[in-house]
Amino acid sequence: MNIALIGYGKMGKAIEEIASSKNHTIVARIGANNWDDLINLDSGKVDVAIEFSQPEAAYDNIIKCLELGIPTISGTTGWLDKKMQVEQYCKDKNSTFLYASNFSIGVNIFFKINELVSQIMDKFPEYTAQMEEVHHIHKKDSPSGTAITLAEGVASNHHAINSWIETDNTSKIEKGQLPIKSLREGEVPGTHTIQYSSDVDSISIEHKAHTRDGFALGAILVAEWITDKKGLLSMKDFMDQRSQ
């Protein structure tokens, strides 16, 4: 498989290492300093583009890949106000696109666990929910895309919760809001904890990434899966196929 890496930071380098170990070929490494290489990319020599860049660059990167007819997966967060435009462009071009807030297989299993727990806790109004997410100090968006996906999973399965709010110890939480506390510490790859608390006890579920390798491996597995497909796809599609 020939891969174009769009974004060549820590995640891009982690993806490259795992791709090489699986005998894939990196045919382009495109960052902020050589964006013209994306414009001039020979799409006939690329099987898939893996886009992990910055929020301000993601939209243009994805649009260009779709324009070139390259199946594209993106894990960049913080640009989703333009996601509907990207999806429509993908349809118009009869191209292939998959966005995920997190490609880690473990995190996507955690998404399903989170939804199940939310369904159960919906029956017990004496428990209130809150979330904490911790990432490295270089992460620009807050809360993380993974935290937002988790919050949406809670809200879609728990009738007492209809939205989320980023909070600190002084924030006022309105009825129906899931508070998310976002911390940025050192080089933490990512920890997400959802807690349900009552007057007598607390129940927590947590996912803790030890390295970026889980995200990178998941991106490669999805890239391998998507190359012969068309249209708008999701991690749910991929996970459903894996669980068959």
Side-chain angles (χ1 to χ4, degrees), residues 109-181:
I109 293 170
F110 188 61
F111 287 156
K112 291 182 178 293
I113 293 170
N114 173 57
E115 292 175 359
L116 176 60
V117 172
S118 300
Q119 291 172 16
I120 295 170
M121 299 309 295
D122 181 47
K123 309 296 193 298
F124 299 93
E126 59 267 37
Y127 287 86
T128 58
Q130 61 184 352
M131 187 191 309
E132 180 178 282
E133 58 102 355
V134 188
H135 279 85
H136 53 81
I137 59 173
H138 312 291
K139 189 166 182 61
K140 292 185 177 181
D141 56 316
S142 175
S144 68
T146 302
I148 292 172
T149 300
L150 287 165
E152 290 171 347
V154 172
S156 63
N157 290 282
H158 197 300
H159 293 96
I161 298 171
N162 53 46
S163 62
W164 58 267
I165 182 173
E166 188 171 19
T167 183
D168 56 31
N169 293 331
T170 64
S171 300
K172 181 180 179 181
I173 312 302
E174 302 292 341
K175 184 177 180 180
Q177 290 182 326
L178 173 69
I180 303 176
K181 185 176 182 180

Side-chain angles (χ1 to χ4, degrees), residues 3-209:
I3 301 170
L5 288 178
I6 317 299
Y8 196 54
K10 291 180 179 179
M11 267 303 299
K13 291 180 174 66
I15 290 169
E16 178 178 36
E17 185 174 342
I18 290 176
S20 297
S21 74
K22 292 171 70 66
N23 297 316
H24 298 310
T25 302
I26 307 299
V27 296
R29 301 167 182 81
I30 296 167
N33 297 325
N34 66 329
W35 198 80
D36 286 349
D37 289 354
L38 177 56
I39 298 173
N40 299 315
L41 196 61
D42 183 350
S43 59
K45 297 180 180 179
V46 182
D47 295 312
V48 64
I50 302 179
E51 200 274 343
F52 275 84
S53 62
Q54 298 296 328
E56 62 273 15
Y59 174 80
D60 289 338
N61 290 341
I62 296 163
I63 290 293
K64 188 61 185 178
C65 290
L66 297 178
E67 179 186 326
L68 292 169
I70 301 171
T72 303
I73 70 173
S74 174
T76 306
T77 57
W79 63 276
L80 296 187
D81 56 323
K82 295 182 178 180
K83 185 168 180 278
M84 289 182 64
Q85 295 168 246
V86 165
E87 291 176 343
Q88 186 59 55
Y89 191 79
C90 178
K91 293 176 184 178
D92 292 344
K93 289 292 183 179
N94 191 31
S95 194
T96 306
F97 179 64
L98 186 152
Y99 164 77
S101 62
N102 198 308
F103 283 92
S104 162
I105 301 301
V107 166
N108 281 274
I109 293 170
F110 188 61
F111 287 156
K112 291 182 178 293
I113 293 170
N114 173 57
E115 292 175 359
L116 176 60
V117 172
S118 300
Q119 291 172 16
I120 295 170
M121 299 309 295
D122 181 47
K123 309 296 193 298
F124 299 93
E126 59 267 37
Y127 287 86
T128 58
Q130 61 184 352
M131 187 191 309
E132 180 178 282
E133 58 102 355
V134 188
H135 279 85
H136 53 81
I137 59 173
H138 312 291
K139 189 166 182 61
K140 292 185 177 181
D141 56 316
S142 175
S144 68
T146 302
I148 292 172
T149 300
L150 287 165
E152 290 171 347
V154 172
S156 63
N157 290 282
H158 197 300
H159 293 96
I161 298 171
N162 53 46
S163 62
W164 58 267
I165 182 173
E166 188 171 19
T167 183
D168 56 31
N169 293 331
T170 64
S171 300
K172 181 180 179 181
I173 312 302
E174 302 292 341
K175 184 177 180 180
Q177 290 182 326
L178 173 69
I180 303 176
K181 185 176 182 180
S182 298
L183 302 175
R184 299 293 176 260
E185 299 175 353
E187 296 296 330
V188 177
T191 300
H192 297 84
T193 307
I194 301 99
Q195 183 178 86
Y196 294 87
S197 298
S198 72
D199 291 340
V200 295
D201 59 9
S202 296
I203 302 167
S204 297
I205 58 172
E206 180 179 274
H207 179 274
K208 179 179 289 187

